Amino acid sequence: MGSADQIEAWADKYGKEIHAYLWRILGDAQDADDGLQETFLRVLRHRRAAPILEPRAWLYAIAGNVARSQLRRRRTEGERRALPDIDVIAPDGVAERDRVDAVRRVVESLPSKQRQALVLRRYQGLTYDEVARVLGGSAQTARANVYQAVLKLKKAFPEEAR
Amino acid sequence: MTKRKNLPEQELERWLAGSATPAETPAFALALDAAYAVSPQAATWRRAQQRLQDRLIAGAPRVYYDRVKSSVVGPLWVAVTDHGLAAVTYGGRETEFAGWVGRRLRATPVRSAERTAAVRRELDEYLRGQRTAFSVPVDLRHVTSFQRSVLEAARSVPRGQVATYGDIGRWIGKPRAARAVGQALGSNPVPIVVPCHRVLASDGSLGGYSGRGGLSTKRRLLALEGAALP
């Protein structure tokens, strides 16, 4: 078990981006909050055989697992929630909201690695190398996962919809 | 806008790197950005951060558990957190229960007769037919909001009475969710205290019960309460 000081230092340094990551994937402030607590609790409870060399990638990986189980739980309960606090400013507010909802549904239906790779690369600003350190595999695999996700989204939102 | 069969890779990489202009961003990417290129509000982050700091200072939480003997439904395991009763389980081995409850509540399980005294006393009284309602707080932080509303609704069914899955669905404003209500009750973490046994199928049959002994346990609890059985 790592020292509490070290975990607090990680929370200071990476807490904000991990929270934003959970918030983006889960689309709900309360779930993101719970997810952040859960991520660091897993860190606290983790018994380490070796020191953690890449805490940022490790935290992202744990947060990804936390988010995945949260999404799975929502699915099994058939619970569809609105997006209570993601405010989209657009002239055609309602249509925009529907579209955002539709996009989220497609992203949530992607395999977990594709969803994570896409969000990590595009919205968390990680390089393919960094994504690979989070999800395992090579930078090549990370890139393939992002492209797979993009292909499915392109199919769901064709160009003429613009 | 000309229709493009394939998104040029360079263009895609520019978008992924955040350096594409809106004009060169394809429709799917604009839609995606509308949903995901937003950040949590500062207040949302501050709230989460504060909670995290408090928790890190407090260290890993604990969950206290112990056993309750009963001739009516067999032995039970109960677990209590600082927020209230978090688990009631029919029988099973101590190590299994402690491991399960620790994982579920993300806490270190500690056996404690003292911390569980109030819960054990109330359960004991109830199972002897000497108690009609429970006063111990219940910790439902670890269930989803849907399940929580179902369990709260089930809690409002008093001893000696019954409701149906459909009733619960209507009470929580989801009249078509009888099946989901049944599932939520089936994974009730605190059976007996949240009386999911008082909720029956809409056709008047007993419905289901996932506690040990299944429907015979459900029947026994209802008989103990003097409810009219189907």
Side-chain angles (χ1 to χ4, degrees):
Chain A
M1 184 119 172
S3 80
D5 284 354
Q6 185 178 51
I7 294 170
E8 267 182 68
W10 291 345
D12 281 347
K13 197 165 176 192
Y14 307 114
K16 192 170 184 181
E17 63 177 300
I18 296 294
H19 175 256
Y21 178 51
L22 288 160
W23 185 84
R24 289 193 170 107
I25 287 196
L26 296 171
D28 179 273
Q30 188 57 53
D31 287 350
D33 191 326
D34 291 346
L36 182 71
Q37 314 302 323
E38 168 70 13
T39 300
F40 277 89
L41 267 187
R42 288 192 190 180
V43 172
L44 273 173
R45 286 164 54 77
H46 183 75
R47 288 195 183 81
R48 264 170 276 159
I52 300 298
L53 298 177
E54 300 194 65
R56 184 172 178 239
W58 190 55
L59 288 167
Y60 265 119
I62 297 173
N65 291 337
V66 167
R68 191 181 49 192
S69 18
Q70 175 74 265
L71 289 176
R72 193 187 301 132
R73 202 159 65 161
R74 273 189 212 169
R75 258 199 303 275
T76 54
E77 293 191 0
E79 188 183 351
R80 274 241 58 85
R81 47 181 86 194
L83 305 166
D85 72 328
I86 293 183
D87 265 303
V88 181
I89 300 124
D92 50 348
V94 175
E96 184 67 11
R97 212 178 178 84
D98 285 351
R99 195 164 68 132
V100 164
D101 214 4
V103 171
R104 295 199 69 94
R105 262 198 294 275
V106 177
V107 174
E108 282 174 22
S109 73
L110 294 172
S112 172
K113 287 221 169 173
Q114 293 177 17
R115 175 173 57 243
Q116 290 184 64
L118 176 68
V119 175
L120 288 170
R121 173 77 191 102
R122 169 70 181 109
Y123 301 108
Q124 299 297 123
L126 269 59
T127 63
Y128 289 124
D129 276 329
E130 290 170 330
V131 174
R133 267 172 246 147
V134 175
L135 299 179
S138 64
Q140 208 57 25
T141 316
R143 192 161 176 272
N145 273 319
V146 172
Y147 277 50
Q148 289 288 327
V150 161
L151 274 178
K152 286 176 195 165
L153 282 152
K154 261 179 73 181
K155 215 178 256 175
F157 297 91
E159 212 47 38
E160 44 274 32
R162 194 168 200 169
Chain B
M1 193 87 216
T2 52
K3 193 178 169 190
R4 280 169 295 191
K5 278 267 179 281
N6 292 300
L7 182 65
E9 200 175 301
Q10 263 185 338
E11 190 176 279
L12 177 61
E13 283 300 338
R14 278 170 61 76
W15 170 70
L16 285 169
S19 54
T21 64
E24 63 187 11
T25 306
F28 86 88
L30 285 175
L32 201 61
D33 286 352
Y36 288 92
V38 274
S39 298
Q41 289 172 355
T44 304
W45 157 238
R46 273 200 304 276
R47 218 168 28 243
Q49 185 185 30
Q50 188 59 55
R51 227 181 118 199
L52 180 60
Q53 279 169 355
D54 293 350
R55 177 159 275 180
L56 288 177
I57 289 165
R62 293 180 162 199
V63 54
Y64 304 95
Y65 70 93
D66 207 350
R67 211 161 98 110
V68 178
K69 288 184 202 131
S70 152
S71 55
V72 183
V73 293
L76 303 167
W77 289 106
V78 295
V80 174
T81 69
D82 292 340
H83 295 261
L85 176 66
V88 173
T89 296
Y90 288 97
R93 277 192 220 168
E94 175 171 1
T95 49
E96 273 168 29
F97 176 74
W100 171 80
V101 85
R103 279 192 305 279
R104 180 177 166 86
L105 304 174
R106 297 107 185 169
T108 308
V110 180
R111 186 159 183 167
S112 168
E114 196 191 333
R115 296 276 193 149
T116 56
V119 167
R120 289 186 298 112
R121 190 185 59 245
E122 289 195 9
L123 270 169
D124 187 58
E125 289 168 359
Y126 165 83
L127 291 165
R128 288 170 193 275
Q130 297 162 353
R131 171 174 282 276
T132 50
F134 292 93
S135 71
V136 289
V138 171
D139 179 1
L140 293 179
R141 289 171 304 151
H142 299 275
V143 304
T144 64
S145 51
F146 175 76
Q147 199 186 357
R148 195 174 307 127
S149 59
V150 169
L151 295 174
E152 295 290 358
R155 250 189 133 180
S156 70
V157 182
R159 180 188 176 121
Q161 293 184 24
V162 293
T164 66
Y165 299 117
D167 289 336
I168 302 277
R170 274 189 295 281
W171 297 344
I172 63 168
K174 304 216 165 142
R176 302 167 76 92
R179 182 190 288 256
V181 166
Q183 278 168 1
L185 290 170
S187 52
N188 175 11
V190 282
I192 303 179
V193 176
V194 167
C196 55
H197 59 275
R198 292 178 196 151
V199 188
L200 315 179
S202 301
D203 64 4
S205 70
L206 271 183
Y209 198 68
S210 53
R212 184 189 48 200
L215 287 179
S216 77
T217 299
K218 189 169 189 172
R219 197 180 290 278
R220 219 169 291 151
L221 288 171
L222 289 169
L224 174 77
E225 299 179 348
L229 289 176

